[in-house]
């Protein structure tokens, strides 16, 4: 399903470079470039404007120090694209609310950043520009390097309503202390039954060698966070994920397989192989437990495969820790896709119909997706954050750290392995990362919510699932109580949500 997302053709060439208003919401309310706009675009294709084109952009600050117009990277980017970027950074924690306030007051940019397609009310109001023709004319790099799955996620009935940043490896993987497995003569588990046996061995056989029964075989964080691969043994996810199942679009919290996943977590609790504080662990507490050498297995993002190894090398060097990513074991009685949800887009950029020079906007994003643009948004400017020595890239990690905000906002491409290798400058670190990618690339199930309008009302599903799921795994309610939870949620309005989501899917997405 995810083959091709790493943009193989481009990466080979990159590696070579390294080495050397409001309506009824019907379909016709989505605006296309008009005749005048198309004529202007054709003229623009033959002559670069003498004056830089101003592009006003709303974007999340990604919870990082805000950029200003004098940032050297912005100035470099503007020169390369003949643009004047007016970046309006909004606080990440309030981003969606801030966007709504600006739009409600009539403050519309040329383009804004999101994580999905545009809101349904903006589409219905004719505020969003359809991009198909413009991308065909001015976006060769966009067309070449963005996979179809990402375009599909931001399209409605074939109409492209956003420029997506493809997501190559957004799903988490299962990490295990391989040194613990080796010490106990165990193999990586391939089934839920084998997983339980491994966790029991971690519980009983003192793999950390301190003579104490203090091992935590498996740990996750509060509200079932980072327990993804346990749920994923039955192809479900505990965070907001929608799937097309049994002729309906449903949120996975009510999927029948969720009952089996909760039942298995209950058995982990009963067998005392689950962290006793798994429903309340804060990030800080959870990380500290792992770094102190107490935890044998956990789920987390692929991208931090080396970071975990590096952290444990520093905190428990005498144990010679070996952190590896392993495939998600298969749950008993389940034969579908394993792992965690996969979203084909990481973030998106949505162009407003009111922009005065849409072709310049497309050209700008097309440059970001060019080989030069990808190198720049990943590594910064040559001679500043990196240099070439004997055909290899040498990265100034301190300066790279200062580019985090710029990278987070303007990077448009997916994972570039050649660049990641250059940034790490450590063969062992890159090998860990590659191994985690290899696991994640073979797993995952699609999150249908990506590209769909936000649900009008989720009828308190998050809180209800946390409360009822917690009762089940802690033994305060029988596993069969899950069926009552689903019936109650559907009756109190959930059926309406399911119908609305399914109707939209059948009209706009189903093939």
């Amino acid at each position: 399903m995810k083959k091709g997302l790493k943009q193989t053709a481009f990466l080979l060439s990159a590696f070579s470079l390294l080495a050397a208003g409001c309506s009824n919401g019907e379909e016709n309310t989505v605006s296309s470039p008009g005749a005048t706009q198309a004529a202007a675009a054709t003229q623009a294709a033959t002559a670069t404007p003498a004056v830089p084109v101003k592009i006003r952009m709303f974007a999340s600050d990604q919870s990082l120090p805000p950029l200003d117009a004098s940032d050297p990277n912005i100035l470099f980017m503007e020169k390369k694209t003949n643009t004047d970027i007016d970046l309006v950074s909004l606080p990440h924690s309030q981003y969606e609310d801030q966007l709504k306030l600006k739009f409600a007051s009539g403050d519309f940019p040329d383009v804004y950043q999101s994580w999905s397609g545009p809101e349904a009310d903006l589409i219905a109001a004719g505020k969003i520009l359809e991009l198909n023709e413009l991308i065909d004319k001015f976006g060769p790099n966009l067309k070449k390097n963005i996979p179809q799955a990402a375009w599909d996620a931001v399209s409605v009935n074939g109409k492209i309503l956003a420029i997506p940043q493809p997501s190559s490896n957004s799903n988490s993987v299962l990490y295990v202390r391989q040194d613990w497995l080796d010490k106990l003569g165990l193999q990586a588990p391939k089934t839920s039954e084998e997983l339980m046996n491994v966790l029991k061995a971690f519980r009983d056989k003192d793999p950390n060698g301190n003579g104490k029964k203090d091992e935590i075989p498996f740990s996750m964080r509060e509200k079932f966070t980072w327990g993804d691969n346990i749920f994923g043994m039955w192809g479900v996810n505990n965070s907001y994920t929608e799937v097309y199942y049994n002729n309906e679009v449903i949120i996975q919290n009510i999927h029948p397989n969720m009952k089996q996943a909760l039942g298995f977590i209950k058995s982990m609790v009963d067998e005392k192989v689950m962290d006793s504080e798994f429903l309340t662990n804060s990030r800080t507490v959870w990380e500290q437990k792992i770094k102190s050498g107490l935890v044998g297995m956990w789920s987390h993002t692929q991208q931090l495969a080396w970071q975990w190894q590096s952290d444990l090398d520093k905190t428990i060097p005498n144990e010679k820790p070996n952190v590896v990513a392993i495939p998600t074991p298969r749950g008993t009685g389940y034969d579908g896709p394993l792992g965690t949800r996969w979203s084909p887009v990481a973030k998106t950029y949505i162009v407003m119909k009111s922009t005065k020079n849409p072709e310049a906007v497309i050209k700008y994003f097309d440059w970001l997706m060019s080989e030069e643009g990808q190198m720049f948004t990943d590594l910064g400017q040559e001679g500043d954050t990196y240099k070439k020595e004997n055909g290899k890239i040498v990265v100034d990690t301190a300066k790279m750290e200062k580019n985090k905000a710029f990278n987070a906002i303007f990077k448009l491409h997916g994972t570039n392995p050649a660049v990641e290798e250059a940034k790490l400058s450590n063969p062992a670190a890159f090998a860990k990362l590659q191994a985690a990618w290899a696991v994640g690339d073979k797993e995952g199930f699609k999150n249908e919510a990506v590209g769909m309008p936000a649900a009008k009302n989720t009828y308190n599903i998050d809180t209800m699932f946390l409360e009822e799921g917690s009762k089940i795994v802690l033994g305060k309610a029988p596993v069969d109580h899950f069926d009552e939870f689903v019936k109650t949620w559907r009756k109190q309005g959930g059926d309406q949500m399911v119908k609305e989501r399914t109707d939209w899917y059948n009209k706009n997405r189903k093939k």
Side-chain angles (χ1 to χ4, degrees), residues 137-153:
K137 291 180 179 179
F138 307 111
N141 292 304
L142 297 173
K143 293 178 68 174
K144 175 184 176 183
N145 294 312
I146 296 178
Q148 190 60 45
W151 289 121
D152 288 345

Side-chain angles (χ1 to χ4, degrees), residues 219-489:
S219 184
M220 62 175 79
R221 272 164 39 187
E222 56 191 342
K223 301 178 180 180
F224 293 115
T225 309
W226 295 114
D228 306 64
N229 295 84
I230 298 298
F231 290 95
M233 293 194 295
W234 284 272
V236 291
N237 199 272
N238 55 301
S239 53
Y240 195 101
T241 306
E242 290 179 283
V243 293
Y244 190 76
Y245 172 78
N246 200 22
N247 298 317
E248 291 183 316
V249 174
I250 63 168
I251 191 166
Q252 284 198 329
N253 299 81
I254 67 166
H255 194 290
N257 288 6
M258 183 59 75
K259 182 177 178 179
Q260 295 171 277
L262 289 172
F264 185 80
I265 294 175
K266 179 183 184 302
S267 68
M268 294 173 72
V269 174
D270 291 345
E271 292 291 348
K272 294 183 171 50
V273 297
M274 173 66 81
D275 186 344
S276 62
E277 299 175 310
F278 76 102
L279 286 174
T280 58
N281 278 329
S282 67
R283 173 180 175 176
T284 301
V285 171
W286 180 74
E287 290 182 349
Q288 182 55 39
K289 289 178 179 179
I290 297 172
K291 292 176 184 179
S292 63
L294 297 177
V295 180
M297 198 176 293
W298 64 96
S299 291
H300 211 215
T301 173
Q302 299 169 54
Q303 206 63 22
L304 294 181
W306 174 249
Q307 188 63 55
W308 281 116
Q309 181 65 53
S310 177
D311 286 343
L312 268 65
D313 283 342
K314 294 174 184 175
T315 55
I316 52 171
N318 293 336
E319 293 187 32
K320 294 181 171 46
N322 183 14
V323 179
V324 301
I326 62 172
T328 301
R330 181 166 296 282
T332 300
Y334 173 68
D335 61 1
L338 300 167
T340 61
R341 67 177 182 175
W342 167 62
S343 299
V345 301
K347 62 177 181 285
T348 59
Y349 299 90
I350 298 164
V351 183
M352 310 303 293
K353 181 187 175 185
S354 56
T355 184
K356 294 180 181 178
N357 202 331
E359 65 274 10
V361 174
I362 300 303
K363 287 182 176 181
Y364 160 74
F365 283 109
D366 192 67
W367 181 81
L368 291 182
M369 191 56 96
S370 69
E371 291 187 10
E372 182 182 28
Q374 292 195 35
M375 289 286 292
F376 167 65
T377 52
D378 249 326
L379 293 175
Q381 298 179 53
E382 185 176 357
D384 177 32
T385 49
Y386 75 94
K387 58 184 177 179
K388 295 177 182 177
E389 291 183 353
N390 299 320
K392 293 185 177 181
I393 294 294
V394 178
V395 174
D396 186 324
T397 53
K399 288 186 176 180
M400 282 284 294
E401 187 69 18
K402 295 179 181 178
N403 285 352
K404 285 181 70 174
F406 180 86
N407 177 280
I409 293 172
F410 293 104
K411 178 178 175 178
L412 184 59
H413 59 282
T415 301
N416 183 327
V419 169
E420 294 298 323
E421 184 175 16
K423 286 194 292 187
L424 286 170
S425 300
N426 181 332
F430 187 59
K432 288 282 186 185
L433 193 54
Q434 280 187 307
W437 287 340
V439 170
D441 283 351
K442 295 176 182 178
E443 299 187 343
F445 41 84
K446 188 175 180 181
N447 179 15
E448 294 290 357
V450 176
M452 291 181 67
K456 296 177 183 177
N457 190 336
T458 62
Y459 299 96
N460 205 32
I461 185 65
D462 290 339
T463 300
M464 283 187 66
F465 176 76
L466 179 61
E467 290 177 352
E468 302 306 319
S470 297
K471 289 179 183 177
I472 291 172
V473 300
L474 295 177
K476 296 180 179 179
V479 176
D480 285 342
H481 178 69
F482 177 80
D483 300 324
E484 293 302 316
F485 149 68
V486 173
K487 289 178 183 177
T488 301
W489 180 78

Side-chain angles (χ1 to χ4, degrees), residues 4-25:
L5 286 187
K6 291 242 174 77
Q7 310 158 357
T8 304
F10 163 72
L11 295 176
L12 290 174
S13 57
F15 187 81
S16 297
L17 184 62
L18 285 170
C22 212
S23 62
N24 62 7

Side-chain angles (χ1 to χ4, degrees), residues 127-155:
K127 297 293 186 182
I128 307 303
L129 187 64
E130 179 194 336
L131 303 177
N132 300 58
E133 293 180 17
L134 288 165
I135 290 171
D136 283 342
K137 291 180 179 179
F138 307 111
N141 292 304
L142 297 173
K143 293 178 68 174
K144 175 184 176 183
N145 294 312
I146 296 178
Q148 190 60 45
W151 289 121
D152 288 345
V154 296
S155 298

